Amino acid sequence: MDFKVIATSSGSNARAGLINTDHGPIETPIFMPVGTVGAVKAVQMPDLEHDVKAQIILGNTYHLYLRPGMDIIERAGGLHKFNGWNKPILTDSGGFQVFSLAANRKLRDEGVTFRSHIDGSKHLFTPEKVVDIQRSIGSDIMMALDECPPGTAEYGYARKSLSLTERWLKRGWQHFCETEPKYGHSQAFFPIVQGCVYKDLRQESAKFVADLGAEGNAIGGLAVGEPTEVMYEMIEVVNDILPADKPRYLMGVGTPVNILEAIDRGVDMMDCVMPTRNGRNGMLFTQHGTMNMRNKKWADDFSPIQADGASFVDHIYTKAYLRHLFAAQEILALQIASLHNLAFYLWLVGEARKHIQQGDFKQWKEQMVQQLMVRL
């Protein structure tokens, strides 16, 4: 994998770049749809490619390890062949599931022991095993095992957690360097910056990660309960240290406004379940604000869902029709809303890239943020 910065914009740390992988290029800044179990919920792969225009999707190490299991994925020839997605794939390490399933896990220096949410069976993730699992999955970009403390964690806990993450990172990186890909394409390894909301811990972690010299770096442990402004501050602290010639991936963030603010602060890659999860619950994101499609106000609105500007996959559907589908609990509603939101997110980062290249990203972003915050 290689990365180059193509353009920057005056008054901002935003940059437009290009990542090259063996499964194709990724134009940054980029949003990555989340395909937890090897599928983006309610969206088929051709729709992701042609309508959403996704360039890379995510898979989840924890979930794929439990179902269908590595034996099936290896026999299929890796996740790309298993799910039919021929563009880049990034896999997380399972670290966030360790955080979110705190009641079912135990942390120790060796790794994390957890019980499956499916059948209660007991499993151990070590830094080395997580690398091996991602070798079996065959993702183009794999993540290091880390612990993700809550945004409200006290300093003492955050310090202890970071020390554990750094010890795990050393082992995971060594094991990555000592092993080879299984399917004939190269794989990159991204370490993850942690440190909760504490500037000194974030700085320490960013330096530790930068010194590793990996092909890209990630920022984890944000949007997990801390105030939004603190999240933005931590991004700035970290990006002041992470190398500018490597892609920076902000994990699990977030709203369209969050995404623009992160890009403004030098982030290149983002992912979040929000566009599909909120879409399935009737919330649509548009360049003019958000719409709750369950509201009665849309019942006789026969205008297209996306009326002007960006023309997404839903331009043939009216607001009244989509509202009817939600009211009738028709599965098609979930598909249309998910496609719409994902297409909008990809349009948004594409517009950001265009304005970075034009040099007026900061002005465009400020105007767009105001529009995005409106509730229609």
Side-chain angles (χ1 to χ4, degrees), residues 44-354:
Q44 296 188 68
M45 296 301 175
D47 296 331
L48 274 176
E49 182 174 0
H50 301 299
D51 293 329
V52 172
K53 295 180 173 56
Q55 299 178 43
I56 176 174
I57 63 172
L58 268 67
N60 182 274
T61 293
Y62 167 88
H63 289 282
L64 290 168
Y65 164 79
L66 292 177
R67 279 190 307 211
M70 292 304 101
D71 177 61
I72 293 294
I73 288 181
E74 286 191 4
R75 285 161 60 191
L79 184 58
H80 290 89
K81 290 186 177 178
F82 187 57
N83 71 0
W85 178 255
N86 295 318
K87 293 188 175 185
I89 294 175
L90 181 149
T91 44
D92 63 12
S93 66
F96 184 77
Q97 280 63 43
V98 170
F99 160 72
S100 62
L101 301 173
N104 295 318
R105 52 84 163 165
K106 291 184 179 179
L107 293 170
R108 56 182 190 273
D109 212 58
E110 181 186 5
V112 56
T113 302
F114 61 90
R115 291 197 176 275
S116 165
H117 70 287
I118 300 167
D119 60 10
S121 57
K122 192 175 181 180
H123 304 270
L124 172 66
F125 272 5
T126 66
E128 296 84 0
K129 184 173 182 177
V130 163
V131 169
D132 289 339
I133 294 169
Q134 292 178 93
R135 290 290 195 200
S136 294
I137 293 171
S139 51
D140 300 88
I141 300 172
M142 65 171 76
M143 307 303 299
L145 181 65
D146 64 335
E147 189 204 354
C148 177
T152 56
E154 294 182 354
Y155 184 87
Y157 182 91
R159 159 61 67 189
K160 183 178 178 181
S161 171
L162 178 58
S163 296
L164 179 63
T165 289
E166 290 179 344
R167 293 195 299 274
W168 283 353
L169 176 55
K170 287 181 182 178
R171 289 165 48 195
W173 175 247
Q174 180 177 350
H175 192 65
F176 171 78
C177 293
E178 293 172 349
T179 56
E180 295 292 332
K182 294 188 174 185
Y183 307 113
H185 63 266
S186 63
Q187 294 179 279
F189 179 97
F190 282 22
I192 303 171
V193 176
Q194 289 287 354
C196 198
V197 297
Y198 303 104
K199 182 177 179 180
D200 63 322
L201 298 185
R202 285 285 175 179
Q203 290 173 325
E204 173 191 321
S205 183
K207 290 173 184 174
F208 188 92
V209 162
D211 288 345
L212 210 61
E215 292 175 285
N217 302 298
I219 307 168
L222 294 176
V224 289
E226 79 284 356
T228 302
E229 290 307 316
V230 174
M231 175 177 73
Y232 295 153
E233 179 188 357
M234 292 302 104
I235 294 171
E236 292 171 6
V237 166
V238 168
N239 280 349
D240 280 344
I241 297 169
L242 291 181
D245 62 345
K246 305 288 179 66
R248 302 164 179 155
Y249 164 32
L250 178 62
M251 305 180 73
V253 181
T255 68
V257 171
N258 292 158
I259 285 172
L260 292 185
E261 295 292 356
I263 292 170
D264 193 17
R265 289 162 172 81
V267 168
D268 306 295
M269 307 165 69
M270 294 137 287
D271 76 286
C272 191
V273 298
M274 184 171 285
T276 48
R277 178 178 290 171
N278 287 29
R280 295 194 305 274
N281 288 299
M283 176 182 282
L284 297 193
F285 297 100
T286 80
Q287 62 182 318
H288 302 296
T290 57
M291 299 189 297
N292 183 348
M293 298 313 299
R294 298 183 186 275
N295 286 350
K296 188 174 177 58
K297 67 182 292 184
W298 308 117
D300 59 353
D301 187 330
F302 302 110
S303 64
I305 297 168
Q306 186 69 38
D308 58 358
S311 179
F312 302 141
V313 294
D314 48 33
H315 64 280
I316 63 172
Y317 300 115
T318 66
K319 300 180 181 75
Y321 179 63
L322 184 56
R323 195 263 176 186
H324 156 68
L325 295 180
F326 273 109
Q329 299 185 353
E330 166 56 49
I331 292 174
L332 181 59
L334 313 186
Q335 183 179 16
I336 293 172
S338 297
L339 281 169
H340 168 93
N341 282 348
L342 287 173
F344 172 73
Y345 268 59
L346 267 296
W347 173 84
L348 187 66
V349 295
E351 287 294 293
R353 178 183 173 85
K354 182 175 74 176

